[in-house]
Amino acid sequence: MKKNSAQEKAILHNQGPMMLLAGPGSGKTTTMTKRVKALLEHYQVNPARILVVTFTKAAAREMKERFEKLCQESGITQNYKQVTFGTFHGVFYGILRHAYGLTGKNIISEERRYDMLRELVYRQKIEVEDEKEFFEGLVQEISEVKNSRIPLEHYYSKNCPDEVFRSLYTSYVTTCRQSRLLDFDDMLLYCYDLLTQRQDILAGWQKKFQYILVDEFQDINKLQYDIVKMLAAPENNLFIVGDDDQSIYAFRGAKPEIMMNFPKDFPSVQTELLSVNYRSTKEIVDVAGRVIAWNKGRFQKKIQTENEQGKPLVVKSFQNGKEEELYLKDCLVKAHEQGCPYEEMAVLYRTNSGARFQVELLMEYQIPFQMRDVVPNLYEHWIARNFISYMKLAMGDRSRKEFLQVMNRPNRYISRDALEESQVSFEALRWHYEDKEWMLDRIDKFEEDLNLLKNMTPYGAVNYIRHGIGYEEYLKTYAMFRKLKLEDLYEVLEELADSAKGYQTFGEWFIHIEEYTRKLKEQARTRISEKKGVVISTLHSVKGLEFDKVFLMDVNEGVMPYKKALTESDLEEERRLFYVGMTRARKELYLFYIKECHEKQLEPSRFLTEGGLLKGEKNEPSQKSEFTQGTYRTGPVTYCPVKAGISVRAQTFSLWTFGLGQRRFISEYSQGR
């Protein structure tokens, strides 16, 4: 790759701040390593005075290896290995360790942190259905409060009632401090506190690191930025590299406005743009450029390429998700037969749950694949476990374990104290509640529901549990307490119904579930060690990678952009995420969308229209160059889960009671229609 003028200027930059805007495939890593080399060769900078900061250990290791190889090839005699390459957490922890004498024992492990939070949750008698999902959300919110330095009383939880979160947060922080334990966010928070309170220590580290280079700057959060600014002062030899158009980690605290405001924070900054894309065809570069131009909060830039025009982008619609999945399978097989390695093909989804059915199909046709994310097992979701327990009870299983799963879903007010034995009998329950006639009615109906389920197909049973037993009413209450989107929980129900179709007995379906679970676990074990097969990934996890062929799946409103993107900033982040997905492709890009899901009509993504790939309103994107709040508005989004093999009949049901209504329900659904 030849150096262009912008690269040359960046490499030879000496004193003061510099911002290097690096578009996709523009050679930013090469530029950074050559810049460090130039500091040693041209400006005789002491290598021990140079700090290169990245976000991941892998990125730091790769950059260090490429830099040292470059120095070896150039015959540099200086001790270039004294240059420090590290992550934000690694560098900041090093500062804390030097000041406080910390050791590895002071860093809380992920396992211990979850155990600590689990104990605090149970101590407050908070009941949650999906522990993994709840604790992941809790950890993310604790991190957000710390990294953004938000006053706790001003933070409103998205995971649970505000007073519950604030209590858990306070208890967690107190427990960690009493135990002299730090989590990864504390490394940043305590480092900031140390450097602001101890000017002598700050001065020492400023002298140590006189030249600071930061990679992927668009992903920086406020706390990281504040520390970097302190370390770079007073000379401000701060060299930042990034692309505001690829800022996609808002959920981790990344704020694109930090990069947008960098010229205001450092008025003397020199700015250069790496505008040449060495990766993709002209067709891909042009269309991606048209899409991202709709964002208003960005640096206006024109990305070009000297590569050939390439093949036109393929935009294809399908009636439903099943058609889409089968067509993709055929595309992968055909491309492989024509000489394209499976490893050079990537199938990208907005969320990791989007790939559930595609993974199942690839397993069925024995097409090798590798996953960048852990695909959640539908059948291990807590809702699925509830439904499976209902079916096991209907088959005659009376174990206390299965009974506990569903006895109060919906709430029947059955106490755990009533389950004294490892095997539960309805007669024993009736004896326990013999003086409560209203409870006896509930127990009778519970038993009769199980007897009815026994003669149904899996599909009929799923629908009867939802509507006849009243499981959906239970979900409404739970979603309200946890501040969850009810439609997200209903999505799981729809996927279960789709999966259950085609099976005549519970036993047949359970065999399928067991086999799928086994294969998925096997794939997860080899996910890291074996880099073979088609890459299945979310858009977030594929950043930094590139492939000959890229397939973007489910390019529909409600998916891309995601249904939760309601604000202007959310929509701009979704557009950046889509842009990242498009620019992973070297030669060919396929964009698929579906028309219908569960008998609901779906719309293609607005991004297709914005890129000139579908007909729509001929609006021109804003050309504002400063970071401003735009005026782009979105109307209501009609959404349902995209991964549907066969449509489910749309019906509206109330809670059923014994009688005509229930008999009608059974007649319609017990045959699996």
Side-chain angles (χ1 to χ4, degrees):
M1 184 178 70
K2 296 180 179 179
K3 287 188 291 192
N4 54 47
S5 61
Q7 286 178 315
E8 195 71 39
K9 291 177 182 177
I11 291 169
L12 296 177
H13 177 73
N14 184 14
Q15 299 285 335
M18 183 172 202
M19 177 169 67
L20 183 63
L21 299 174
S26 60
K28 69 175 180 67
T29 303
T30 298
T31 304
M32 288 189 72
T33 54
K34 289 186 176 181
R35 154 118 174 111
V36 179
K37 174 175 167 287
L39 288 175
L40 305 184
E41 252 185 340
H42 291 272
Y43 303 112
Q44 306 302 310
V45 175
N46 185 339
R49 300 288 184 263
I50 302 173
L51 170 65
V52 182
V53 188
T54 67
F55 280 86
T56 67
K57 290 182 179 178
R61 182 170 56 251
E62 180 191 1
M63 189 124 17
K64 181 179 180 180
E65 290 173 353
R66 290 177 64 170
F67 166 70
E68 292 183 352
K69 183 180 179 181
L70 186 64
C71 290
Q72 292 168 4
E73 292 173 348
S74 302
I76 293 178
T77 57
Q78 287 177 275
N79 191 4
Y80 54 82
K81 292 188 177 182
Q82 290 183 350
V83 175
T84 300
F85 292 84
T87 64
F88 283 100
H89 289 97
V91 173
F92 297 164
Y93 175 68
I95 294 174
L96 291 175
R97 185 180 59 204
H98 190 272
Y100 298 125
L102 300 175
T103 68
K105 295 180 180 180
N106 297 110
I107 302 176
I108 189 171
S109 66
E110 286 294 302
E111 183 179 1
R112 186 170 181 184
R113 176 164 67 168
Y114 276 90
D115 286 343
M116 186 185 296
L117 288 171
R118 193 175 289 109
E119 183 180 342
L120 294 173
V121 168
Y122 291 160
R123 194 182 298 168
Q124 297 193 27
K125 298 181 179 180
I126 302 170
E127 292 189 9
V128 293
E129 295 287 2
D130 189 339
E131 284 192 358
K132 184 175 182 297
E133 181 262 346
F134 176 77
F135 287 117
E136 285 178 352
L138 185 60
V139 167
Q140 184 175 318
E141 291 200 298
I142 290 172
S143 179
E144 185 177 353
V145 171
K146 289 182 177 181
N147 284 301
S148 300
R149 301 204 303 279
I150 302 172
L152 187 59
E153 64 273 16
H154 294 160
Y155 184 79
Y156 301 96
S157 175
K158 300 178 286 291
N159 201 47
C160 58
D162 298 329
E163 63 275 12
V164 172
F165 172 77
R166 291 164 187 168
S167 176
L168 290 172
Y169 178 92
T170 303
S171 299
Y172 170 72
V173 170
T174 302
T175 304
C176 284
R177 287 180 176 173
Q178 290 174 346
S179 305
R180 278 181 61 84
L181 292 173
L182 287 78
D183 60 27
F184 282 102
D185 301 308
D186 289 331
M187 294 180 190
L188 309 184
L189 191 61
Y190 291 172
C191 186
Y192 175 83
D193 291 340
L194 173 67
L195 297 180
T196 53
Q197 296 168 15
R198 292 288 302 274
Q199 291 297 312
D200 56 330
I201 294 177
L202 173 60
W205 288 103
Q206 289 172 335
K207 185 178 180 181
K208 164 70 174 171
F209 297 130
Q210 295 179 350
Y211 289 82
I212 300 176
L213 297 87
V214 182
D215 190 24
E216 302 287 4
F217 189 80
Q218 76 277 349
D219 296 330
I220 203 166
N221 65 40
K222 188 177 187 307
L223 191 53
Q224 292 165 337
Y225 182 50
D226 288 343
I227 298 172
V228 166
K229 280 196 300 183
M230 284 193 289
L231 291 174
E235 284 86 359
N236 293 329
N237 293 324
L238 182 57
F239 184 93
I240 68 167
V241 183
D243 183 8
D244 54 297
D245 289 335
Q246 298 186 70
S247 179
I248 60 174
Y249 295 119
F251 64 93
R252 297 179 186 171
K255 298 182 182 298
E257 58 264 36
I258 293 176
M259 190 167 190
M260 298 300 301
N261 289 326
F262 191 81
K264 296 179 182 177
D265 295 339
F266 297 91
S268 63
V269 65
Q270 181 180 339
T271 301
E272 291 293 338
L273 169 65
L274 299 185
S275 61
V276 181
N277 182 318
Y278 296 98
R279 172 188 302 159
S280 307
T281 64
K282 189 176 185 303
E283 177 76 7
I284 294 170
V285 171
D286 288 347
V287 175
R290 288 199 293 270
V291 173
I292 200 62
W294 284 82
N295 273 6
K296 296 178 181 180
R298 64 186 293 264
F299 292 109
Q300 295 297 324
K301 56 183 83 71
K302 177 66 176 176
I303 304 299
Q304 305 173 15
T305 183
E306 297 176 357
N307 295 334
E308 61 184 15
Q309 183 68 25
K311 295 183 179 180
L313 274 62
V314 176
V315 180
K316 190 171 178 61
S317 64
F318 303 88
Q319 191 63 31
N320 54 47
K322 191 66 176 178
E323 286 186 10
E324 180 190 41
E325 292 155 7
L326 289 170
Y327 184 83
L328 171 66
K329 180 265 296 182
D330 291 341
C331 286
L332 298 175
V333 172
K334 184 178 179 181
H336 183 66
E337 290 174 349
Q338 294 176 347
C340 182
Y342 279 128
E343 294 75 21
E344 285 297 336
M345 293 183 274
V347 182
L348 308 183
Y349 293 87
R350 174 60 181 83
T351 67
N352 57 358
S353 61
R356 283 171 175 161
F357 286 91
Q358 191 66 61
V359 164
E360 202 164 349
L361 189 67
L362 295 179
M363 287 178 178
E364 181 182 347
Y365 285 90
Q366 297 184 335
I367 298 173
F369 65 94
Q370 51 181 305
M371 297 180 297
R372 294 283 298 174
D373 312 87
V374 176
V375 176
N377 187 346
L378 170 66
Y379 309 113
E380 291 181 349
H381 192 283
W382 62 270
I383 291 177
R385 292 200 302 269
N386 286 173
F387 277 63
I388 291 171
S389 289
Y390 263 117
M391 294 177 192
K392 286 182 176 180
L393 291 172
M395 293 170 69
D397 190 334
R398 291 294 182 267
S399 64
R400 189 174 187 269
K401 174 186 174 184
E402 301 298 342
F403 211 87
L404 284 170
Q405 278 283 328
V406 297
M407 69 179 187
N408 286 316
R409 298 176 176 91
N411 202 348
R412 301 180 177 91
Y413 301 97
I414 300 174
S415 169
R416 287 174 174 258
D417 296 337
L419 311 182
E420 297 178 349
E421 306 294 334
S422 59
Q423 294 292 310
V424 180
S425 87
F426 280 97
E427 287 304 315
L429 280 177
R430 292 187 183 94
W431 178 84
H432 185 86
Y433 290 104
E434 61 178 345
D435 58 338
K436 295 183 174 67
E437 188 172 343
W438 63 277
M439 282 296 300
L440 295 178
D441 290 341
R442 292 172 182 271
I443 293 168
D444 289 345
K445 186 174 185 310
F446 189 10
E447 186 176 24
E448 190 159 353
D449 281 333
L450 295 180
N451 288 330
L452 290 171
L453 285 174
K454 179 170 59 179
N455 298 316
M456 294 183 183
T457 65
Y459 175 69
V462 168
N463 283 284
Y464 182 70
I465 295 167
R466 291 175 66 176
H467 308 294
I469 291 178
Y471 192 86
E472 286 196 1
E473 292 299 312
Y474 157 72
L475 286 184
K476 290 178 183 178
T477 304
Y478 182 73
M480 188 179 299
F481 170 75
R482 284 286 319 284
K483 299 183 180 180
L484 300 174
K485 293 281 188 182
L486 187 59
E487 57 264 34
D488 291 346
L489 302 182
Y490 283 178
E491 177 178 342
V492 179
L493 298 179
E494 298 289 3
E495 290 190 5
L496 275 175
D498 283 334
S499 172
K501 283 188 174 183
Y503 298 94
Q504 294 303 307
T505 68
F506 296 155
E508 291 176 3
W509 194 37
F510 290 169
I511 290 173
H512 163 74
I513 291 172
E514 185 178 346
E515 180 65 11
Y516 173 75
T517 300
R518 183 188 66 78
K519 289 181 178 178
L520 202 60
K521 288 181 177 178
E522 182 180 334
Q523 177 64 34
R525 284 194 298 271
T526 60
R527 179 169 64 95
I528 299 175
S529 59
E530 296 185 14
K531 304 293 184 182
K532 296 180 180 178
V534 179
V535 173
I536 309 293
S537 177
T538 61
L539 294 171
H540 284 103
S541 296
V542 82
K543 188 169 175 287
L545 303 180
E546 57 187 69
F547 308 88
D548 282 349
K549 297 177 185 284
V550 169
F551 300 84
L552 284 182
M553 308 294 288
D554 310 329
V555 188
N556 287 87
E557 287 291 307
V559 183
M560 300 180 193
Y562 197 49
K563 57 187 174 179
K564 295 181 180 180
L566 302 176
T567 67
E568 294 170 13
S569 61
D570 291 341
L571 287 168
E572 293 214 345
E573 172 121 343
E574 290 293 309
R575 192 174 285 108
R576 292 193 295 269
L577 191 57
F578 187 71
Y579 176 75
V580 167
M582 296 179 76
T583 55
R584 298 312 92 195
R586 298 191 195 99
K587 299 177 181 179
E588 297 178 33
L589 178 60
Y590 299 79
L591 305 161
F592 295 163
Y593 67 94
I594 67 174
K595 298 178 179 180
E596 183 185 82
C597 177
H598 304 309
E599 296 192 345
K600 293 181 181 179
Q601 298 301 308
L602 299 181
E603 297 295 327
S605 171
R606 72 192 70 186
F607 300 154
L608 297 176
T609 303
E610 293 171 356
L613 300 171
L614 290 181
K615 293 182 179 180
E617 293 185 17
K618 296 182 179 180
N619 296 327
E620 294 296 326
S622 169
Q623 295 300 316
K624 291 184 178 181
S625 60
E626 69 275 11
F627 187 82
T628 59
Q629 293 296 317
T631 57
Y632 196 92
R633 294 280 187 248
T634 178
V637 173
T638 302
Y639 173 80
C640 72
V642 169
K643 305 317 299 171
I646 306 175
S647 297
V648 179
R649 297 173 60 209
Q651 297 278 353
T652 301
F653 299 98
S654 60
L655 283 177
W656 294 91
T657 57
F658 289 102
L660 179 62
Q662 190 174 40
R663 288 196 296 274
R664 173 177 168 240
F665 184 95
I666 294 166
S667 67
E668 289 191 4
Y669 283 93
S670 62
Q671 299 304 312
R673 290 173 18 189

